[in-house]
Amino acid sequence: MFARSAIATRSAAPALNVIGQTRNMATLKEIQNRLKSITNISKITASMKMIASTKVTRAQRAMKVARIYGNVSCDFIEQAEVKKADGAKELVVVVSSDKGLCSGIHSSLSRHTRKYLADYPEAPVAIIGDKAKSQIQRVFAQNMTYSFNQIGSTIPAFDETSAIASVIISDKSIEFDNIKLVYNKFASAIAFETSEIECFPASQIVEAPGFKSYEVQEEILENLNEFLFANNLHWALVEGHAAEMAAKRTAMENATKNAGDIIQRLTLQYNRGRQTVITNELIEIITGASAL
Amino acid sequence: MSFLARTFKPAAAFARVSRQAATRLYASEASAASSGKLVLNFALPHQIVLSSKEVNQVDLSAVSGDLGILADHVPTIEQLKPGVIDIIADSGAEKYFVSGGFAIMNPNSVLNINAIEAFKLEDIDAQAVASQLAESQRLAASAKDELTKEAAAIEIELYEAIQTALSTKAH
């Protein structure tokens, strides 16, 4: 009560300044409201960081397995030295997710894809995850073939992967030779890199120099190729998920830290303002008393 | 049992009945003989069963037939059908039932097996298999559309293969 009436009478008087700090008509009440809302926000970001950290440990364990699985699957491709054909048409599959608040994960994927599409504007694109879809659709809506959502909240399981792979492969209307998987590689707990995995068509596998030493029945070649694609897709999905969880954790950690900084700054401002008010009231009382 | 349910989708993706005449591409030259053991990598999407393990022999049940792989076997690619993989190493023999996948034998005596699901035979519950088999047979008989019929047929093949595997083990 005292403080409010003091402010009302003091609005015309010049505010007492600490060097370099002006209050710009922000009243103590407004600072208090800001403090309350930012404290709530920092609680939310702190809990999101905790959730993300538990998800990161689990996602990293799954990623280790998926990486080995993918490498075992690709071992044959490397040993046979399968190469990309000149002028091969690529289908770009972008592996992102539906959830945001993970710093540059989705925008890095869309930037990479857009750069590729600038060189090959005819390339068909399939997008997994709503976040990348909204970014790419703005500029390259005509290239989009399929988009998938409801991915990314949990560690991807192989049945999800094979469902996605089946849809992409069974649509014979899309023309492509190779498939390029664009995903985020988990570099460390605080860094990720957008990378690609190349999937070759059965025709290129047959042409590979190392392939002639393998004894294989022709009719399983197509099945093998689909299986290899599903394995690569699974690897990309799981590693992308791990990269996203790690990025979310660092993003929330930074957000909490920043919120903490703002809270400190505002608290100082609030206290100085409060002390100024009290000082002025005391001055008034004392001058009033001495005038008597 | 959820693991059985999970094998269908990948199995369904491969369920293309090929009517082409079977052609076999034979290896054009024998791989250089290198002394040493067979190195096995056995990976599932959610678990690495064996990594770079030295073994003596691996018996697979492939779509083209059953085969045994020894060290320096001719490089080959085989599609696996639901069945038992028998791994014989110096430390003993281990049998796993796999739902399907591919086995690739490389020229450097490395055998890579990618499967969707694999379980040791002792971990499989025979009662559950029997009840699920009955369920699938009922479904196959009563199904109206092609897709459900085909899916049920895959399930029946799987459960029957498990039953065969369990019964041969018992002997």
Side-chain angles (χ1 to χ4, degrees), chain A residues 48-67:
Chain A
M48 288 184 78
K49 176 194 154 199
M50 296 275 262
I51 297 173
S53 336
T54 49
K55 286 194 174 180
V56 169
T57 27
R58 261 186 284 144
Q60 256 189 286
R61 256 182 285 143
M63 178 189 72
K64 283 201 179 70
V65 170
R67 263 187 188 168

Side-chain angles (χ1 to χ4, degrees), chain B:
Chain B
M1 293 214 293
S2 61
F3 101 89
L4 289 173
R6 269 188 279 155
T7 55
F8 304 144
K9 299 236 174 75
F14 307 143
R16 301 247 188 100
V17 180
S18 173
R19 300 200 203 281
Q20 297 164 353
T23 46
R24 220 178 158 84
L25 306 171
Y26 285 100
S28 58
E29 60 206 29
S31 57
S34 55
S35 64
K37 295 217 170 183
L38 179 62
V39 176
L40 174 65
N41 290 316
F42 185 5
L44 311 176
H46 55 277
Q47 181 198 351
I48 306 297
V49 182
L50 292 169
S51 174
S52 298
K53 176 141 187 222
E54 275 189 1
V55 297
N56 298 328
Q57 182 180 337
V58 178
D59 291 333
L60 308 165
S61 108
V63 163
S64 61
D66 292 349
L67 73 159
I69 309 254
L70 296 156
D72 299 324
H73 191 277
V74 165
T76 177
I77 304 173
E78 294 287 350
Q79 179 176 333
L80 301 172
K81 63 174 199 268
V84 177
I85 291 187
D86 200 352
I87 301 167
I88 302 164
D90 286 339
S91 51
E94 287 176 345
K95 286 184 201 265
Y96 292 89
F97 187 89
V98 294
S99 64
F102 273 83
I104 301 179
M105 178 68 195
N106 292 303
N108 56 350
S109 199
V110 172
L111 174 61
N112 290 329
I113 303 181
N114 284 84
I116 312 299
E117 293 277 6
F119 283 90
K120 291 207 166 159
L121 285 181
E122 47 258 30
D123 293 340
I124 300 180
D125 178 1
Q127 297 276 47
V129 175
S131 58
Q132 292 275 1
L133 176 60
E135 174 77 28
S136 303
Q137 282 166 336
R138 196 189 51 77
L139 199 64
S142 64
K144 299 286 189 311
D145 61 308
E146 198 53 47
L147 199 61
T148 327
K149 256 200 161 71
E150 210 174 303
I154 296 172
E155 290 180 28
I156 293 175
E157 186 194 337
L158 177 70
Y159 293 127
E160 285 178 348
I162 299 180
Q163 287 195 322
T164 323
L166 287 175
S167 61
T168 47
K169 172 189 175 256
H171 293 146

Side-chain angles (χ1 to χ4, degrees), chain A residues 75 214-217 223 226, chain B residues 16 64 75-76 79 106 112:
Chain A
D75 191 19
Y214 287 85
E215 205 178 278
V216 63
Q217 280 187 311
N223 290 346
E226 291 178 11
Chain B
R16 301 247 188 100
S64 61
T76 177
Q79 179 176 333
N106 292 303
N112 290 329

